[in-house]
Amino acid sequence: MPSYRLQTIRPMAFSVALHPAFLLVVLSLKTSRSEVLGEPFQLTPEILTVSTESKLQQVNLQWTVPNLTHQELKMAFQIEISRINTSNIVWVENYSTTVKWNQLLHWNWKSEIPLECVTHFIRIRAMVDDAKYLPQNSWSNWSSWKEVSVQVSVAPNTLLIFPDNKLLEEGSNVTICLLYGQYLYNVSCMLQKEPIHGEQLDSHVSLIKLNNVVFHSVSGTNIHCKAMNATKMIFGTVLFVSKVLEEPKNFSCETQDFKTLKCSWEPGVDTALVWSQQDSQSYTLYESFSGRRELCDHRNSHNWQITDDSQETYNFTLTTENNLRKRSVNLIFNLTHRVHQKAPHDVTLENIDARKANMTWKVLSRGNNYILLCQIELQHEREVIHEHNVSVHMSASYLFSDLEPDTKYKARVRCADANHFWKWSDWAQKEFCTPEAAPSQALDVWRQVRSENGSYVVTLFWKPLLKSQANGKIVSYNIVVENQDRLSESEHYSVPAPALGTQLSLDPCSYKIHITANNSVGVSPESVMVLSNDSGHEEVHEKRIKGTKDGFHISWEPTSGDALGYVVDWCVHSRDQHCDLQWKNLGPNTTSTNITSGAFKPGVRYNFRIFEKSMQQKAQLLEKQTGYTQELAPLENPEVTINNFTSNSFILSWPSYDSDFQSAFIEGYHVYLKSKEMQCHPKGKRMTLPDYWVLCEYEIKDPEQKAFTVENLRPESHYEFLVTPYTSAGQGPNETFTKVMTPDENSNMLLKIILPMTLCVLLIIIACYWKSQWVKEKCYPDIPNPYKSSILSLIKSKKNAHLIMNVKDCIPDVLEVINKVEGPKTQCIVSGNPHNEDVSMKPPSSVPTEDGSSGSVPFFFFENFTYDQSAFDSGSHGLIPGPLKDTPCQLGLLTPPEKLLNVLEKDYMKSLAESPTEETSLIYVSQLASPMGGDKDSLATNPPMPGHCSEYKMQMAVPGRLPSLALSENNSLTSEILLGQGEQ
């Protein structure tokens, strides 16, 4: 029995022995696992504090991991943020970090909504995330929620706006929060001048979201709101929107002397704002090899002093920052590869001659082994005409050749490192001018020849030499004229510059003309022209050509095969007195050319002449061509005159146009005739106009025809006509018609009768006017003026100047005494055959005296030879032959003059002398004078006409004391002249 037990007990004992060993292994694994996992259920994070920064709208979280037994463990944390209530999760973020034992952890979050407006809640949980341990598949428990709020008190009838004066970048988003006080309603807001709208969170909070805000000004963007029942009119805030900070561009550093590095960059836009919200961005330069950091003095550059000569490589970091962000750029380089050479110095230029110049300069070198590459440029009028590169150690020189005389140039040079080219140095330059040289080109000359008063008037033209041909300033032009008919004769002319022509008057001979240009150095090669006897008298046919808007194509046929060349000339201003002659020289093998000019105008005729130049320099006219670049319609109509005007027809005629003033080639004329009920000629076109007028149109296709006969007209009818030319471009202007009226058909007959009669009457009037003096002398002789009579030349009286006729002073041919105061009878003696016969004398009439009584007064008759030239010429002192018995002039006896003087002296003149002075004047009575009284009314209406004694010029003298003289009806005296004292 005991042994059995033993067998039975042994296995149990083995089992009992293995059990403690298994437990030890399990415990060992458990311990090892505990070390790896670190009791995960006990690593729940614990929030210590939650704080806020309202200005930044930021929540700051601080927590720790309790029960952490490891010195360092990498963990992941998950943070949740809810708004208004814990179930409204608005933010979840995973945050990984290495946690040390007993360490305080920090994390922050910026809210898009101002923290003053809503309440936020935050919690956190953790998970081990360390590669040294087995990965954990689950998070720890959440910490408890922590409330995040900013306590703000809103008074009734008040509105609060958040954020207040917020700073943000352009293009960012912002949420504006409005907190309403009690009793406030109808809130409206404006961004600058634009209305903005939001969403209502609750009865006291609303949010306005602004996306992609823009920059308005450095003073900010205004937001203002209004509300009903508010304590003040406007509530508002300012958004300070900054420009986005830009990264510096083109950052580079270089040295010129290996002592200073000059770093430069482009800073970009300035982000500064007013009201001290934000200053301009700052720039900091940091070199990593030396560890030096320097704040830059300028926004775009900084000078870095080289302190370690052994340092060749530099690594710079340029950082710019403002209140919102920072940006940086890096640059690494070798110092010897960033050398900016200084400009060359001591630059000199020396003129060798008019076409060569030598330039020298020096450079700053670091030794003979240091080679520079220098670039040389030659400029003329800001254009590079020559460029060359040379290698330089310390100094160098360069020769410029092929220069133009009397020309300004600018030479400049710059250098760079030849081994490690970085950039060129600044230019070093020098200006110089080459000296003058003699002109190198002959003048381009031409001429115009015309005849005037039997001589040649030659106008010479030449084009100015180009600057490259003149080689200096032209001061004058020399002209030598050689007479080819008399070779010993030549004339020299000098024309001062800048004249481009001159005029010569030459005899009709052949001439060779030499023209040269002079400057201060020398004379140009000569230009030669030969004028023959027939120059200017060539007659060639004129050809019409058609131009284009660009000009004319001229072509011709050569007349000889040995031509030296051709010349085409024309006037730019053909209508002006100064036509501005232009010409073009062409080669010997040329038979056409294109003439273009910006001065060509539409509607202007241009005349071209083509000359052939012979080997002897003679120019012969080949052709004349004329045309327009563009033909236009005529600008005016001709002045029409009417000829051969009859009752049935008339002729219209007009003068020729001046060809130079035509706007196109005249191809013909249109004649328009307008009237009522008119029959047109079969060659005309009939057209009916309003008011029953008929228009007849006639076309004249010959432009040389300047007359048109209008026939088949009606007498005494009204017609209207218009003559207008037409060209290929149209006809002339539609001007007012000229009105005419045909005369009566009988008017020509009357004119043929009246005109000869009128001529005859005019001839008679002219003949009468021509013989008027003769007719007057025969029919109406002039009454002589006593004062102008030849008798007065014999008057020598000194006692009484008013006595016109004194018997003592004159010797009359015949005197007939009619009456004498002393007695009724007088002895009369007749010259010629004296006889003694007593004649009973009777006064011819009774003459009233001054007192009004009528009585006999003494008066006498005598013959005046002024009226009887025949008697004077005969030398007779007798009576003119003729019967006197029937005339009253026989009442007195004729007495010889000498005896009559004695009688008058003794008797009658004695009585006259006794009379007062005023009564001694005589009254001179002429036979031809009309009888007159004291006034004009007493003139006889029917004076008696003289009978047979009309040729006997008997004169009568009456004493002047009688105021008037009345003649009897039977008296033969027909006129009288009363001569008073001092009057005629």
Side-chain angles (χ1 to χ4, degrees):
M1 281 296 288
S3 59
Y4 175 79
R5 289 179 181 173
L6 290 174
Q7 289 180 353
T8 306
I9 295 171
R10 286 181 181 174
M12 292 180 63
F14 178 77
S15 166
V16 172
L18 289 176
H19 183 70
F22 176 77
L23 291 176
L24 289 174
V25 172
V26 171
L27 290 174
S28 175
L29 291 173
K30 185 178 180 180
T31 303
S32 175
R33 184 177 177 86
S34 298
E35 290 179 356
V36 173
L37 298 179
E39 298 296 336
F41 296 102
Q42 299 176 2
L43 295 181
T44 301
E46 180 183 353
I47 297 177
L48 298 180
T49 61
V50 178
S51 63
T52 60
E53 294 184 44
S54 299
K55 186 73 174 178
L56 300 177
Q57 297 180 202
Q58 181 173 298
V59 176
N60 297 319
L61 176 63
Q62 187 178 17
W63 74 97
T64 185
V65 181
N67 303 323
L68 181 63
T69 60
H70 298 79
Q71 292 296 323
E72 185 176 282
L73 184 66
K74 189 174 183 181
M75 298 183 67
F77 298 93
Q78 189 175 67
I79 304 168
E80 284 186 351
I81 296 176
S82 62
R83 183 174 293 155
I84 301 176
N85 54 64
T86 56
S87 61
N88 183 24
I89 304 299
V90 295
W91 189 266
V92 176
E93 182 177 331
N94 292 331
Y95 172 68
S96 298
T97 185
T98 301
V99 182
K100 295 181 180 180
W101 180 79
N102 205 23
Q103 178 184 359
L104 293 178
L105 300 174
H106 300 273
W107 176 84
N108 58 69
W109 170 75
K110 287 187 177 181
S111 173
E112 62 177 357
I113 299 177
L115 301 176
E116 294 87 350
C117 297
V118 293
T119 301
H120 292 79
F121 299 91
I122 187 168
R123 66 179 180 175
I124 188 171
R125 63 182 177 177
M127 182 176 64
V128 176
D129 187 23
D130 199 322
K132 296 185 296 182
Y133 304 98
L134 293 176
Q136 189 173 359
N137 296 325
S138 61
W139 292 94
S140 69
N141 296 327
W142 285 103
S143 66
S144 60
W145 286 104
K146 291 291 185 180
E147 183 179 340
V148 181
S149 63
V150 178
Q151 298 299 324
V152 177
S153 156
V154 183
N157 306 105
T158 304
L159 178 67
L160 297 181
I161 304 176
F162 296 98
D164 184 22
N165 299 338
K166 183 174 180 60
L167 176 65
L168 66 160
E169 275 188 342
E170 184 180 22
S172 59
N173 303 328
V174 64
T175 300
I176 306 299
C177 172
L178 305 179
L179 296 180
Y180 306 134
Q182 195 175 5
Y183 313 122
L184 207 63
Y185 61 95
N186 288 346
V187 179
S188 62
C189 297
M190 305 279 288
L191 176 66
Q192 293 295 99
K193 295 182 180 181
E194 296 293 330
I196 52 177
H197 305 282
E199 59 177 325
Q200 196 81 22
L201 288 183
D202 57 34
S203 60
H204 297 287
V205 179
S206 64
L207 300 178
I208 301 174
K209 293 184 179 181
L210 301 177
N211 297 323
N212 193 22
V213 293
V214 297
F215 173 85
H216 285 285
S217 69
V218 294
S219 59
T221 302
N222 296 320
I223 297 177
H224 57 273
C225 301
K226 295 180 181 181
M228 296 295 292
N229 206 19
T231 56
K232 59 181 180 178
M233 294 293 296
I234 298 177
F235 303 90
T237 186
V238 178
L239 296 180
F240 288 96
V241 182
S242 167
K243 288 285 187 179
V244 178
L245 181 64
E246 297 179 356
E247 184 180 275
K249 298 183 177 120
N250 298 327
F251 177 41
S252 67
C253 296
E254 61 185 27
T255 183
Q256 286 187 320
D257 53 5
F258 292 92
K259 295 180 181 179
T260 302
L261 271 172
K262 184 176 181 180
C263 298
S264 61
W265 59 89
E266 295 178 10
V269 65
D270 191 358
T271 62
L273 298 173
V274 298
W275 314 117
S276 301
Q277 293 295 319
Q278 179 172 267
D279 296 330
S280 296
Q281 63 266 37
S282 62
Y283 293 88
T284 303
L285 198 59
Y286 173 73
E287 203 283 309
S288 61
F289 293 118
S290 64
R292 287 170 54 189
R293 184 185 303 272
E294 295 183 6
L295 182 65
C296 302
D297 299 331
H298 304 284
R299 294 183 63 246
N300 59 351
S301 65
H302 182 71
N303 292 328
W304 182 277
Q305 298 299 322
I306 300 176
T307 57
D308 187 1
D309 294 338
S310 61
Q311 184 178 355
E312 291 186 358
T313 304
Y314 288 83
N315 184 8
F316 282 107
T317 300
L318 177 65
T319 303
T320 177
E321 62 179 323
N322 60 11
N323 295 347
L324 298 174
R325 69 168 67 209
K326 65 170 59 175
R327 294 179 182 273
S328 60
V329 291
N330 289 57
L331 177 66
I332 185 170
F333 60 89
N334 189 300
L335 182 63
T336 58
H337 299 174
R338 294 296 181 99
V339 179
H340 185 195
Q341 188 69 27
K342 288 187 176 181
H345 57 93
D346 295 340
V347 179
T348 60
L349 270 161
E350 180 183 0
N351 287 321
I352 297 177
D353 55 30
R355 298 186 179 275
K356 294 180 180 180
N358 187 51
M359 183 176 71
T360 60
W361 70 94
K362 295 180 180 180
V363 296
L364 181 63
S365 177
R366 289 185 294 163
N368 292 332
N369 295 328
Y370 187 69
I371 300 175
L372 297 179
L373 179 66
C374 293
Q375 185 182 58
I376 303 163
E377 279 188 359
L378 184 64
Q379 290 184 358
H380 173 59
E381 295 180 352
R382 298 184 178 181
E383 181 182 354
V384 178
I385 60 175
H386 184 74
E387 187 177 58
H388 190 72
N389 293 338
V390 296
S391 297
V392 181
H393 290 284
M394 300 286 292
S395 62
S397 64
Y398 186 80
L399 179 65
F400 294 107
S401 58
D402 298 329
L403 303 179
E404 297 293 339
D406 189 36
T407 305
K408 290 183 178 180
Y409 294 97
K410 180 190 288 185
R412 60 180 189 171
V413 59
R414 62 181 179 178
C415 301
D417 191 340
N419 297 322
H420 305 286
F421 183 86
W422 164 239
K423 62 173 62 175
W424 290 108
S425 69
D426 295 334
W427 288 104
Q429 59 188 22
K430 198 80 172 180
E431 293 184 356
F432 67 99
C433 183
T434 54
E436 292 187 358
S440 58
Q441 184 71 30
L443 291 170
D444 185 0
V445 299
W446 191 234
R447 84 292 185 279
Q448 266 190 338
V449 183
R450 72 176 190 272
S451 297
E452 187 175 297
N453 298 329
S455 62
Y456 284 155
V457 176
V458 181
T459 305
L460 301 177
F461 303 93
W462 53 85
K463 295 180 181 179
L465 293 174
L466 300 177
K467 185 173 180 60
S468 59
Q469 300 169 344
N471 296 335
K473 183 180 179 181
I474 301 298
V475 294
S476 64
Y477 299 92
N478 291 336
I479 302 172
V480 178
V481 181
E482 296 180 354
N483 192 324
Q484 298 297 292
D485 298 335
R486 297 184 291 273
L487 297 178
S488 61
E489 295 183 5
S490 63
E491 296 182 3
H492 297 259
Y493 304 92
S494 179
V495 180
L500 297 177
T502 187
Q503 193 174 83
L504 305 177
S505 181
L506 305 175
D507 294 333
C509 299
S510 296
Y511 295 92
K512 180 182 284 189
I513 302 176
H514 308 261
I515 305 175
T516 57
N518 302 335
N519 63 11
S520 61
V521 177
V523 181
S524 70
E526 66 176 11
S527 299
V528 179
M529 287 188 301
V530 175
L531 301 181
S532 59
N533 292 329
D534 59 349
S535 296
H537 298 281
E538 302 94 340
E539 294 293 336
V540 295
H541 176 69
E542 187 176 68
K543 175 184 175 182
R544 289 185 178 182
I545 58 175
K546 187 174 182 180
T548 64
K549 63 178 181 179
D550 298 324
F552 296 89
H553 179 74
I554 309 294
S555 61
W556 60 90
E557 294 292 334
T559 58
S560 62
D562 59 348
L564 186 63
Y566 299 92
V567 178
V568 179
D569 71 357
W570 71 95
C571 286
V572 174
H573 308 292
S574 60
R575 295 182 178 180
D576 298 339
Q577 183 178 2
H578 304 287
C579 75
D580 189 11
L581 183 70
Q582 301 292 315
W583 67 93
K584 187 176 182 179
N585 282 297
L586 301 167
N589 298 323
T590 306
T591 58
S592 65
T593 185
N594 291 320
I595 305 296
T596 60
S597 174
F600 287 153
K601 297 179 181 179
V604 178
R605 178 179 293 189
Y606 296 97
N607 302 313
F608 299 90
R609 298 184 301 176
I610 298 97
F611 292 86
E612 182 183 75
K613 293 193 327 185
S614 65
M615 301 299 293
Q616 294 78 25
Q617 297 295 336
K618 292 183 179 180
Q620 179 183 359
L621 181 63
L622 293 182
E623 291 184 16
K624 288 183 179 181
Q625 300 183 11
T626 181
Y628 298 83
T629 57
Q630 181 183 353
E631 294 193 37
L632 301 178
L635 301 177
E636 58 182 12
N637 294 326
E639 296 182 2
V640 181
T641 58
I642 303 175
N643 301 319
N644 298 339
F645 196 22
T646 67
S647 60
N648 298 316
S649 65
F650 55 83
I651 298 176
L652 301 177
S653 61
W654 54 91
S656 300
Y657 279 88
D658 188 349
S659 60
D660 287 338
F661 289 90
Q662 294 179 9
S663 59
F665 294 114
I666 301 297
E667 297 182 356
Y669 297 89
H670 286 148
V671 180
Y672 298 95
L673 191 65
K674 186 167 60 174
S675 180
K676 289 185 177 181
E677 299 179 358
M678 180 180 63
Q679 296 298 325
C680 296
H681 193 273
K683 295 182 179 180
K685 297 179 182 179
R686 178 186 174 92
M687 183 184 301
T688 304
L689 301 177
D691 299 333
Y692 305 102
W693 282 77
V694 176
L695 179 67
C696 297
E697 179 185 354
Y698 303 95
E699 182 179 4
I700 301 175
K701 296 184 178 181
D702 183 9
E704 300 301 325
Q705 180 179 339
K706 301 298 187 300
F708 181 79
T709 302
V710 182
E711 299 176 331
N712 301 326
L713 305 180
R714 294 183 179 182
E716 296 185 280
S717 299
H718 292 276
Y719 294 92
E720 297 180 9
F721 67 86
L722 175 66
V723 178
T724 179
Y726 66 88
T727 65
S728 61
Q731 69 175 15
N734 293 325
E735 296 179 345
T736 305
F737 280 62
T738 303
K739 298 180 180 180
V740 294
M741 182 176 179
T742 55
D744 185 8
E745 56 186 356
N746 297 325
S747 60
N748 293 333
M749 186 179 297
L750 293 175
L751 188 62
K752 293 178 180 179
I753 298 174
I754 294 174
L755 186 60
M757 293 178 63
T758 305
L759 292 176
C760 293
V761 171
L762 287 176
L763 290 175
I764 292 172
I765 293 173
I766 292 171
C768 291
Y769 179 78
W770 182 46
K771 292 294 185 177
S772 60
Q773 190 65 26
W774 178 81
V775 172
K776 183 178 179 181
E777 290 177 358
K778 292 297 182 183
C779 299
Y780 304 100
D782 290 335
I783 298 174
N785 189 345
Y787 287 102
K788 296 181 181 180
S789 176
S790 59
I791 300 175
L792 296 181
S793 62
L794 304 176
I795 299 176
K796 299 180 181 179
S797 174
K798 296 182 181 180
K799 295 181 180 181
N800 193 348
H802 297 283
L803 186 62
I804 294 177
M805 185 173 292
N806 196 334
V807 180
K808 296 180 179 181
D809 297 331
C810 62
I811 303 175
D813 296 329
V814 177
L815 288 176
E816 181 179 1
V817 179
I818 303 301
N819 193 11
K820 191 174 181 182
V821 179
E822 288 80 358
K825 295 181 181 181
T826 304
Q827 180 83 20
C828 295
I829 301 174
V830 179
S831 175
N833 298 318
H835 56 84
N836 294 327
E837 182 179 355
D838 294 334
V839 180
S840 173
M841 297 298 293
K842 181 180 180 180
S845 63
S846 296
V847 182
T849 60
E850 289 182 1
D851 55 2
S853 60
S854 177
S856 298
V857 295
F859 60 93
F860 58 91
F861 291 91
F862 65 94
E863 184 180 11
N864 189 350
F865 287 98
T866 305
Y867 281 77
D868 191 358
Q869 188 66 27
S870 60
F872 178 79
D873 295 337
S874 64
S876 171
H877 297 285
L879 295 173
I880 296 174
L884 300 175
K885 59 182 179 179
D886 296 332
T887 64
C889 61
Q890 295 178 1
L891 295 176
L893 297 177
L894 298 179
T895 305
E898 60 274 8
K899 293 184 178 182
L900 181 59
L901 285 174
N902 294 332
V903 175
L904 292 176
E905 260 186 0
K906 295 177 181 179
D907 300 321
Y908 181 69
M909 296 306 297
K910 181 178 179 181
S911 63
L912 292 176
E914 295 175 354
S915 302
T917 306
E918 64 273 6
E919 298 176 355
T920 58
S921 60
L922 299 178
I923 297 175
Y924 185 79
V925 181
S926 173
Q927 275 186 312
L928 299 180
S930 301
M932 59 184 295
D935 53 16
K936 295 179 180 180
D937 297 330
S938 63
L939 294 174
T941 50
N942 295 314
M945 299 299 292
H948 300 285
C949 63
S950 59
E951 293 183 358
Y952 180 71
K953 305 302 184 296
M954 185 65 67
Q955 308 299 318
M956 178 179 66
V958 184
R961 66 180 178 270
L962 298 178
S964 61
L965 178 64
L967 300 179
S968 61
E969 295 180 359
N970 57 354
N971 199 327
S972 64
L973 296 177
T974 62
S975 63
E976 66 179 358
I977 297 177
L978 303 181
L979 304 175
Q981 182 181 359
E983 61 183 1
Q984 182 178 345

